[in-house]
């Protein structure tokens, strides 16, 4: 159990962040124990077949039997626009004492791949992380980031509609919030209480977290890593196709887009799901937006679309009492 004690100032300083290195670091748990992450089995199979054995050995060695990963692979981002190149450059210059500290916090006895002078171990880690990024994440990060950004938009909408407490408690079943203390029911048997004390709290959505995660040690910036909505669509996207009366009214593609946009998404993500060009999707989205069926907002480098209240009603997903015209 980890409890974050929050003051009024801390509650006002809750923010979201995205970290490519954080996602890569957490993905090592799926490589180490694929059975616990069935959604990612296709990805695991591809990585284990294509990544050189020495790099795979180093990456798997970073995870212990409790699925703990060293904190230096889970940096707390300060913005949703963090770049992997900046993070890997910081990792390459990580203080050797810090590297040893974080590894020893995870491993009682280090695996062979992580033994030796700290500078040598650091270079092995940097090389292996870079190989995994180039082999897999570089080509899929845009799609991953779109899902992560869409989740942030969803949490923002939840805060606006139901309040901060409802949003925090809804991050994952293992998260609870009593107005002052945010409690995380972790697999970690330790009971820890951390006074945030003005350090701020960062919420980090992840595609590779099943419930909720946190730093292994308490000497970094406080954060909560929570599971993103829609992670099952990452590797096996379903084409957005509408049917029935809605399709008769709007056409199958636009009806499918309206149905898919119950959760925010960008035109790039939707194009990948449907299998058509981004420009074609943008034309449909523009029409749906112009007639009031979609709302849009810029988040980082992306423009995210989501069904408006009118769009929700038309798609038959609005639970409110619509009065005599329903």
């Amino acid at each position: 159990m980890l409890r974050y004690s929050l003051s009024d100032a801390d509650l006002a300083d809750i923010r979201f962040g995205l970290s490519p290195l954080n996602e890569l670091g957490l993905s090592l748990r799926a490589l180490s124990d694929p059975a616990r992450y069935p959604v990612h089995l296709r990805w695991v199979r591809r990585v284990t077949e294509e990544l050189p054995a020495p790099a795979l050995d180093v990456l798997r060695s970073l995870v212990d039997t409790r699925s703990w990963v060293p904190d230096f692979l889970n940096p707390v981002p300060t913005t949703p626009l963090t770049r992997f190149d900046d993070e890997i450059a910081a990792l390459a210059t990580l203080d050797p004492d810090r590297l040893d500290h974080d590894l020893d916090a995870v491993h009682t006895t280090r695996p062979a791949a992580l033994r030796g002078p700290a500078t040598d171990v650091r270079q092995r880690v940097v090389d292996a992380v870079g190989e995994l990024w180039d082999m897999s994440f570089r080509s899929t990060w845009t799609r991953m980031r779109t899902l992560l950004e869409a989740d942030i938009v969803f949490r923002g909408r939840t805060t606006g509609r139901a309040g901060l407490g409802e949003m925090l408690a809804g991050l994952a079943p293992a998260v609870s919030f009593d107005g002052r203390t945010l409690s995380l029911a972790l697999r970690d048997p330790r009971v820890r209480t951390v006074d945030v004390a003005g350090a701020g709290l960062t919420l980090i959505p992840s595609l590779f977290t099943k419930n909720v995660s946190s730093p292994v040690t308490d000497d970094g910036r406080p954060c909560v890593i929570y599971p993103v909505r829609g992670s099952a669509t990452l590797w096996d996207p379903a084409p957005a196709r509408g049917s029935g009366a809605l399709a008769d009214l709007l056409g199958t593609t636009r009806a499918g887009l309206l149905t898919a946009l119950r959760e925010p998404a960008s035109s790039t993500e939707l194009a990948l799901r449907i299998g058509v060009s981004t420009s074609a999707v943008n034309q449909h989205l523009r029409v749906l937006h112009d007639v009031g069926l979609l709302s849009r907002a810029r988040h980082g480098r992306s423009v995210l679309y989501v069904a408006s209240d009118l769009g929700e009603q038309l798609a038959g997903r609005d639970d409110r009492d619509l009065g005599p015209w329903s």
Side-chain angles (χ1 to χ4, degrees), residues 55-294:
L56 192 60
D57 185 35
V58 171
L59 295 173
R60 282 177 167 161
S61 296
L62 288 163
V63 188
D64 79 343
T65 57
R66 300 163 294 187
S67 293
W68 289 13
V69 179
D71 284 346
F72 60 72
L73 287 179
N74 300 135
V76 180
T78 58
T79 170
L81 305 178
T82 308
R83 298 173 63 249
F84 176 77
D85 290 345
D86 295 333
E87 292 184 310
I88 195 70
L91 181 60
T93 59
L94 180 71
D95 184 275
D97 291 338
R98 181 68 196 192
L99 180 131
D100 281 335
H101 171 272
D102 287 359
L103 286 175
D104 291 341
V106 170
H107 296 289
T108 303
T109 301
R110 288 199 203 178
L114 302 178
R115 296 175 191 164
T119 53
D120 293 347
V121 174
R122 182 181 64 191
Q123 191 59 52
R124 274 180 241 146
V125 171
V126 168
D127 290 344
V129 165
E131 287 188 68
L132 178 57
W133 177 265
D134 289 337
M135 198 265 336
S136 177
F137 279 79
R138 188 175 297 280
S139 61
T140 57
W141 176 244
T142 296
R143 179 168 194 166
M144 291 178 172
R145 188 184 65 207
T146 297
L147 289 173
L148 298 170
E149 289 178 340
D151 189 89
I152 292 175
V153 171
F154 171 80
R155 305 298 171 180
R157 294 178 71 203
T158 300
T159 301
R161 291 179 175 179
L164 179 63
E166 185 77 14
M167 184 277 288
L168 290 172
L171 292 175
V175 178
S176 60
F177 180 62
D178 65 5
R180 284 296 178 188
T181 302
L182 188 68
S183 300
L184 314 180
L186 304 169
R187 296 176 66 199
D188 182 354
R190 298 174 296 173
V191 177
R192 298 179 286 161
T193 299
V194 176
D195 186 352
V196 175
L201 180 67
T202 303
L203 307 180
I204 307 172
S206 173
L207 292 155
F208 293 95
T209 292
K210 289 175 64 70
N211 199 338
V212 67
S213 302
S214 71
V216 174
T217 63
D218 297 331
D219 48 3
R221 293 204 308 275
C223 74
V224 177
I225 305 170
Y226 68 91
V228 71
R229 297 162 57 90
S231 61
T233 68
L234 179 60
W235 310 118
D236 296 299
R241 294 289 178 186
S243 60
L246 188 62
D248 292 340
L249 177 65
L250 300 176
T252 57
T253 299
R254 289 175 184 171
L257 288 170
L258 186 60
T259 300
L261 285 169
R262 183 166 195 172
E263 307 297 343
S266 70
S267 58
T268 302
E269 165 66 9
L270 292 167
L272 288 169
R273 293 176 65 180
I274 298 174
V276 300
S277 68
T278 302
S279 61
V281 170
N282 274 324
Q283 292 178 18
H284 292 300
L285 294 176
R286 190 177 302 113
V287 171
L288 293 172
H289 177 265
D290 288 347
V291 297
L293 298 180
L294 297 181

